């Protein structure tokens, strides 16, 4: 027993001082949380976590999320010691260019990092998505005697995580959904950057989580390993409620600055590091010390993990023999492959002569056409499903008493919705989609950014995409959101002009395995282009294409997105009637277009033609990318207003007449100067 | 008693059917909430609210916030009936172009609307800011026998409001701050758009608010006026805790669709409206009926309000006699006037020969120089004050036991921080400021948007404004945030290049009484321009100015913002050394620059000079606004990385060499084509 205790302490101090030394060497980082939370994290990893360091992608591993991403060295130390492909040299290169040990944990960058964290609150909320993923997959695939999906989701979170609203939203939903396999370990150290939590965070967190329907365990002493283990055991044993395990810890434990904010985000300094080592009985040298005994003890995770995964593989093989179809689906889904023929029938959804239809309605139709084949589609709306058209008909709601349902009711919780979508995506097995009004994309920008950074296939359905929503007024009318989403690296924004382009938008979104896609959709009905007169809708897959022109060698190019493409086309026809060579370009996606070869882009927007008019019912700023200093933008300068949408278009001057007039102005000017 | 009851019912039904009729007439809107919440709102307005409909700006009025902004017709009905300048014709024009009755309540658009609502959660959180404003002003100005600041803040909120994370953040803070004069009436109707709250929101809201330290009253029957009144009384009587009054109501009460989502956001239809009137014993005609008795009873608010304000004015006059200086400050602050000489001394903060300094540090110095004179400055950071340099030295923390403190500790709650800043601003008496890292501006976009829409003077201090923050890595490195903030109408973004421009940024922010200002600041030290060689920093007030040039008639224009202006200047000098005429433009604020007369803009960026290189350590997209199709942008294409910042600049190619090379390329090209 004493031996065990000694080994435990050795391991914990190894974690602590790997963290301290790495932060010292980088002269940058956060030593406080690793020093305080090392015992808690060690207990979790040593006694509970089911994982195989040699196969970080094992589908049935337990998920571990370090929500307090600034404690990255804690995680890197654990990964190194348990045998992940992360060497001591990697730890020595903490926070340096090209190293695997970034300042905050980044998925895809470091083996064993399940999700990128750092922005507080995201990890907890993403973990809720992972636990939902497990529940949904289990309901779909498990059969008596064949629990091929059966794992826990653990989170280590901080005061800061629980102050963020997104974690409140996610926790409320998790409680409602009774996610019994979610265990959130709360590193409760009562310190944040500005001081004691007495000045910011005096609420009774346990009581709050009870109100959400969680199982709350503790507080326990975070230094008492057995107490922590008992608490985690208790948490795991509650299958019907997510659990919060409150562990009282001391930030910077063992350091001179212990229990003060100073130890949060700065190196201890050579003196502080030395003092800490003395206090905790650690050799002053060498740095990055990993005692043999610690290496052996924690390295045993490898053999345990391989054994566990072997057992699971046998289980899966037996499952495949009895449930061949399901096994195929399981394999496809966990590897992110879309089933063969997934896009069959999409092309015939909107044929010639289709009646005018809102692109949001078309989107709903596409989703429902895809859903039977692409069972990975799993999502819903932040309480706007009837408006967003995000419901999969004939499928139930994802509910605590029936996790087979494919329709998620996120509630009015856009921010958590975004983070949960990330959790579904990083878990594997899903193509998550979300729904809300485009204006409320502002509520979920932080997880959208993380999805883009992680390169996750998430589909954001954003309806009511302009003043075209009408009477709800400026609070509900996006004007800057298209422009502002286009600034996010690796986020693909698509604003289809009609039902046929909406089909292509969904196709592009599902084919985009390297990042999220936002689809902006109209509330109002829009004509369906007559493709016998216009170019085929497949052009939308290239982001922009020549939709229609009245003659080669254009005098003017009119560029539209979404509903305004119809304005551009009408203006083009009017100009043609006036004897001008007008070209109309549909540009539903800047990102897709910009990725095309230069020759293609030149063929659509010839460099020599500078008389260019863009029309979009949003802010003008940014459109100079395509119209340059010599073009014109028919767009908005300020917020919208409350009125029927036809009136708004008229009053804000987003009209055919305005486009025609701008075109004439530019053509005159170019004639004068050339 | 029975008479009273009859009048009450008459008034309540008047409110209900004004709402129903207006929604019918507009054929758009939300009848459900007004019908359900009318009794509760009526009790609050009839028996408690201290206001003067003839003077909606009376500083000591109670504040009423309709957080569930979709119930706008409820508020418009109350405003009309109590005598605000809002006629029956205004109600008849609900949701029409140019009317005063927008789809959702808009501050500045309709007298009596305290803050713009609609995006859920914002109203509750903004109200927390109003209550903080009251507490702070009271602590500053009240003297024994002279309680010149003494009013309540009431909120009416919905399920949706309380699902949003921002309201959780704000409620947690309000509980900690013990805002006893905040009463939140919860219209608890158990219905949201996708169905019963059983499928989304099963938590125990009362228990959650108890956990925050709130006083929770109810649930009470929302139809039982005396019970509601008793509950509100009880709430008001608790001076040390904010109160949540839970009222059980029925959405669409009296209509055929009562207690279903269908009645939330669509007109009842002629038949539904008729049925509802029959059910509640209301004449089918005329529409927009206001019975004399209801008019008389509710119109009495006017006389009560004038009497109350008269009493307050006498109090204020007596106060002014005894506390003349304070009375002057009170008057200035409540009218938003800055004290004479408020900017004295700013110019000498950074004179010739100043050492390199991070602009965040300069910002802290400016704030501290302003704070003694501009006592309206009130703010803080979302737990990053030591990094954001937002602390006012020598002033205490705004705390429950001492609300005199001017430093707010928002905790890790960026979203609530933004909403609270709005509350401080709309309350009057403050120039609120906030602080966080620029990357976390994403967490607070919804209230920033509302500040822009309302035209509020709020100052956002955003530090760590690029990859220049170094090792914390891509989660903490804004790359798209400058570009994305620039898309928001009426939000002024300023990214000063050095300490002297930082002074001007603050000056511009305080002078911007018509909207919010975001100041983006460096973590890293930056040289202070030698203004004997460069143009004066005042140019920054114009958003962009000619900083330096090697000769008139430039061959190339180099444009920089913030830290990269130094790169542009170095490149300009190198090009000059190579015999080229290089112009360097400092462009800290697109918005300020774009507001300048065309002639000024032409003088800085002559139309004829197309060889233009912009350099900014952020995404390139959008910069075509100034460099056009023929220029170049030295910027980023993706997310950042974790490494020392000098390495990042080098690796991402944001360097003098890159600018020089781009300049040469453009000059060559323009020589070839001309």
């Amino acid at each position: 027993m004493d031996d065990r205790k000694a080994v435990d302490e050795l391991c914990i101090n190894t974690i602590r001082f790997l963290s301290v030394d790495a932060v010292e060497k980088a002269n940058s980082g956060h030593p406080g949380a690793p020093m305080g939370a090392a015992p808690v994290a060690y207990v979790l990893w040593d006694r509970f976590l089911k994982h195989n360091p040699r196969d970080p992608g094992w589908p049935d591993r337990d998920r571990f999320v370090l929500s307090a991403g600034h404690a990255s060295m804690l995680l890197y130390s654990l990964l190194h010691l348990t045998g992940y492909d992360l060497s001591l040299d990697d730890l020595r290169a903490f926070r340096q260019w090209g190293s695997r040990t970034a300042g905050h944990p980044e998925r895809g960058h470091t083996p064993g990092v399940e999700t990128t964290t750092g922005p507080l609150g995201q990890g907890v909320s993403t973990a809720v998505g992972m636990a939902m993923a497990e529940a949904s997959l289990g309901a779909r695939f498990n059969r008596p005697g064949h629990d091929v999906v059966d794992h826990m989701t653990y989170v280590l979170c901080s005061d800061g995580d629980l102050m963020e609203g997104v974690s409140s939203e996610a926790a409320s939903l998790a409680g409602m959904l009774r996610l019994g396999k979610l265990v959130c370990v709360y590193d409760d150290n009562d310190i944040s950057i500005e001081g004691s939590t007495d000045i910011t965070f005096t609420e009774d967190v346990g009581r709050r989580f009870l109100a959400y329907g969680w199982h709350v365990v503790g507080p326990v002493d975070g230094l008492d390993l057995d107490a922590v283990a008992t608490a985690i055991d208790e948490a795991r044993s509650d299958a019907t409620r997510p659990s919060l395990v409150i562990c009282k810890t001391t930030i910077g434990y063992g350091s001179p600055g212990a229990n003060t904010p100073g130890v949060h985000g700065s190196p201890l300094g050579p003196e502080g590091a030395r003092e800490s080592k003395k206090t905790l009985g650690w050799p002053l040298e060498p740095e990055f010390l990993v005692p043999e005994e610690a290496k052996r003890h924690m390295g045993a995770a490898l053999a345990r993990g391989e054994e566990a995964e072997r057992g699971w593989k046998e289980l899966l093989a037996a499952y495949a023999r009895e449930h061949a179809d399901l096994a195929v689906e399981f394999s496809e889904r966990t590897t992110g492959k879309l089933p063969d023929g997934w896009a069959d029938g999409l092309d015939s959804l909107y044929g010639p002569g289709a009646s005018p239809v809102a692109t949001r309605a078309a989107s709903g139709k596409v989703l429902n056409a895809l859903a039977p084949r692409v069972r990975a589609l799993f999502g819903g709306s932040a309480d706007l499903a009837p408006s967003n058209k995000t419901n999969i008909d004939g499928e139930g709601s994802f509910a605590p008493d029936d996790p087979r349902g494919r329709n998620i009711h996120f509630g009015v919780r856009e921010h958590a919705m975004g983070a949960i979508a990330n959790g579904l995506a990083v878990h594997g097995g899903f193509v998550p989609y979300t729904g809300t009004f485009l204006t409320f994309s502002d509520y979920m920008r932080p997880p959208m950014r993380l999805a883009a950074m992680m390169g996750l296939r998430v589909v954001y359905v954003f309806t009511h995409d302009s003043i075209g929503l009408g009477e709800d007024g400026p609070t509900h009318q996006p004007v800057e959101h298209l422009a502002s989403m286009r600034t996010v690296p690796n986020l693909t924004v698509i604003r289809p002009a009609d039902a046929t382009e909406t089909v292509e938008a969904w196709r592009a979104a599902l084919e985009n395995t390297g990042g999220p896609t936002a689809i902006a959709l109209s509330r109002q009905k829009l004509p369906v282009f007559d493709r016998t007169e216009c170019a085929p809708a497949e052009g939308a897959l290239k982001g922009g294409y020549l939709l229609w022109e009245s003659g080669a060698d254009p005098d003017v190019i009119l560029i539209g997105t979404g509903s305004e493409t119809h304005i551009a086309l009408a203006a083009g026809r009017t100009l043609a009637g006036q004897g001008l060579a007008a070209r109309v370009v549909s540009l539903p996606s800047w990102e897709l277009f910009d990725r095309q070869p230069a020759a293609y882009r030149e063929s659509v927007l010839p460099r020599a033609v500078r008389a260019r008019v863009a029309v979009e019912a949003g802010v003008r700023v940014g459109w100079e990318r395509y119209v340059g200093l010599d073009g014109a933008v028919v767009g908005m300068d300020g917020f919208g207003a409350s009125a029927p949408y036809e009136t708004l278009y008229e009053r804000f001057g987003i009209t055919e007449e305005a486009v025609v007039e701008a075109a004439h102005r530019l053509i005159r000017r170019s004639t004068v100067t050339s």
Side-chain angles (χ1 to χ4, degrees), chain A residues 560-638:
Chain A
T561 81
S563 34
E564 288 72 67
T565 313
H566 299 273
I567 293 175
L569 182 59
R573 288 186 159 135
T574 298
L575 291 165
Q578 295 165 349
L580 291 163
R583 168 177 291 192
V584 178
V585 169
S586 176
L587 191 64
S589 175
W590 292 18
E591 296 80 14
L592 292 177
F593 184 69
D594 290 353
R595 257 174 253 155
Q596 302 306 314
Y600 176 76
R601 285 182 279 124
E602 173 68 20
S603 77
V604 178
L605 298 176
R607 200 171 171 81
V609 183
R610 294 299 174 98
R612 301 175 176 192
V613 184
V615 54
E616 185 172 75
V619 293
R620 297 170 209 263
V621 59
W623 269 105
E624 296 85 0
R625 184 175 186 82
Y626 299 105
V627 305
L629 300 176
D630 306 303
V633 186
V634 174
M636 313 262 301
D637 293 312

Side-chain angles (χ1 to χ4, degrees), chain A residues 140-275:
Chain A
R140 172 73 181 160
F141 291 105
N142 289 346
R143 290 293 180 273
H146 299 284
D147 283 350
V148 292
V149 182
D150 183 13
H151 71 78
M152 302 293 297
T153 299
Y154 296 106
V155 191
L156 184 63
C157 76
S158 62
D159 291 300
D161 285 304
L162 300 186
M163 280 192 253
E164 290 284 5
V166 62
S167 65
S168 298
E169 295 178 4
S172 175
L173 191 61
M176 203 210 66
L177 292 171
R178 296 192 225 123
L179 301 174
K181 288 183 176 170
L182 175 64
V183 173
C184 186
V185 179
Y186 170 24
D187 174 31
D188 182 7
N189 64 28
D190 290 333
I191 294 291
S192 67
I193 293 172
E194 292 184 12
S196 154
T197 52
D198 287 351
I199 62 168
T200 49
F201 194 48
T202 54
E203 62 169 65
D204 182 340
V205 174
R207 191 175 192 180
R208 168 154 69 93
F209 275 73
L210 286 172
Y212 294 140
W214 284 51
H215 171 212
V216 176
V217 189
V220 298
D221 176 358
L223 287 172
D224 181 340
L225 308 191
D226 288 332
V228 171
T230 304
I232 294 175
D233 241 346
E234 206 180 308
R236 288 164 44 95
S237 72
D238 190 329
T240 63
R241 289 180 299 173
S243 293
L244 181 74
V245 179
I246 305 176
C247 298
K248 298 300 291 186
T249 62
T250 302
I251 191 171
Y253 179 82
S255 75
N259 205 27
T260 69
V263 80
H264 164 80
S266 304
L268 301 179
E271 187 54 31
R274 226 175 359 253
E275 282 303 309

Side-chain angles (χ1 to χ4, degrees), chain A residues 108-131:
Chain A
H109 197 81
T110 313
V113 171
E114 299 282 0
T115 185
T116 299
T117 54
L120 290 170
Q122 298 300 324
V124 185
S125 313
T126 303
V128 171
M130 297 180 187

